[in-house]
Amino acid sequence: MSATRPGGPAQSATADRETVISRVIDAPPELVFEAFTEVRHLSRWWGPDGFTTTTQSFEFRVGGEWDFVMHGPDGTDYTEWISWTEITPPERIALLHGESRHDPNAFESVLTFAPDGAATRIEMRTVFPTKQLRDEAVEKYHAIEGGRQTLSNLAAYVTELVQKRVED
């Protein structure tokens, strides 16, 4: 994947270590951002198809952490950890994501929430420590497809929220 930047190099310095997934969600940025930042919402949509999430602890603030377990459809549990490194409501979240606080293979993700008419374009840009870790995430763990499914689950959940608010 490469990133083209106006007036800059054709490929970013991290292009061989990153994945970029985006989706347009038919809801305002504030609501999409809220669904990403409140544990009561996250547990309803987080993860690829067939996964569920159990939160151990959650503190949404810069330096705060989210400790959780993702339960795979085959019964496998995946211990996960996220630390929030930047929060700019309702536009941007940056985070560090690994298996635990001291995971040397933790990766960085930046999520942006941009208005797209009445909808929101969410982009998830993830940079891995090495090209090999990126390739392993893509090939072994199907990170791109899993990310697409996760954003699809988010879109379905937020659409449900919008419908409930209209009905109330």
Side-chain angles (χ1 to χ4, degrees):
M1 300 184 143
S2 63
T4 304
R5 297 175 191 218
Q11 195 170 29
S12 75
T14 61
D16 67 341
R17 298 186 289 125
E18 70 183 26
T19 60
V20 180
I21 302 165
S22 65
R23 181 179 180 106
V24 174
I25 297 177
D26 194 19
E30 294 79 8
L31 183 58
V32 179
F33 189 88
E34 176 188 316
F36 226 105
T37 61
E38 294 186 15
V39 73
R40 67 188 173 93
H41 294 308
L42 281 166
S43 64
R44 301 282 306 281
W45 64 266
W46 182 266
D49 294 347
F51 280 75
T52 59
T53 302
T54 301
T55 295
Q56 311 295 333
S57 64
F58 183 86
E59 187 176 13
F60 188 71
R61 64 172 178 78
V62 172
E65 298 178 350
W66 179 24
D67 286 301
F68 60 102
V69 177
M70 290 179 61
H71 310 286
D74 64 357
T76 304
D77 287 344
Y78 301 90
T79 302
E80 302 285 328
W81 169 88
I82 286 177
S83 178
W84 316 107
T85 57
E86 179 188 339
I87 300 170
T88 308
E91 300 160 6
R92 180 179 164 101
I93 300 170
L95 57 91
L96 188 62
H97 185 164
E99 292 180 5
S100 65
R101 180 177 292 117
H102 304 292
D103 184 351
N105 298 327
F107 51 86
E108 298 175 9
S109 291
V110 174
L111 295 105
T112 54
F113 305 80
D116 188 336
T120 302
R121 174 170 293 281
I122 182 170
E123 180 182 272
M124 184 167 39
R125 179 175 302 271
T126 300
V127 179
F128 294 84
T130 66
K131 179 185 183 316
Q132 291 75 21
L133 287 169
R134 178 219 179 259
D135 292 349
E136 179 182 19
V138 170
E139 293 162 17
K140 183 177 179 183
Y141 297 107
H142 311 286
I144 292 173
E145 181 57 28
R148 287 184 180 137
Q149 290 176 10
T150 297
L151 292 185
S152 178
N153 292 338
L154 169 62
Y157 176 70
V158 170
T159 298
E160 200 178 291
L161 287 179
V162 168
Q163 290 171 346
K164 283 181 183 174
R165 289 181 181 187
V166 168
E167 292 168 4
D168 287 346

